[in-house]
Amino acid sequence: MAKQAFDTLRALAIASQALGFILIITLETVMRDAARPWQGLTLAAMVAAALAIALVRLYRRNRARKAMVRRLADDDDAA
């Protein structure tokens, strides 16, 4: 399987985590002590995004693996 030059899921993961950390710091700066619940929600959203991206990556990997097995089986049948 050829390696992609640009991994969209990795870029999305990095961007979502960076945005989350920026939001957490901004909330602390703007709201002070009242920011705690919002920071917790932001952290929960960051974890949910990371899990969703991991599931998509696993789904794509398994789909590619099954396609490879099918291609190999077709090649064996043709030979």
Side-chain angles (χ1 to χ4, degrees):
M1 185 163 67
K3 192 95 166 141
Q4 283 183 336
F6 180 76
D7 190 356
T8 306
L9 287 178
R10 182 169 295 195
L12 184 60
I14 292 168
S16 68
Q17 297 300 302
L19 183 64
F21 284 124
I22 290 169
L23 184 58
I24 286 174
I25 292 168
T26 302
L27 285 169
E28 182 67 29
T29 302
V30 172
M31 298 178 74
R32 305 266 188 242
D33 293 331
R36 295 290 180 210
W38 295 106
Q39 288 174 326
L41 287 174
T42 302
L43 185 59
M46 289 169 63
V47 170
L51 288 174
I53 290 169
L55 286 175
V56 169
R57 183 177 297 278
L58 182 64
Y59 172 76
R60 286 183 180 179
R61 187 180 307 135
N62 285 342
R63 189 176 62 182
R65 187 176 297 135
K66 286 179 184 178
M68 178 72 80
V69 167
R70 267 188 242 114
R71 277 193 300 264
L72 291 174
D74 290 344
D75 288 346
D76 288 344
D77 291 341

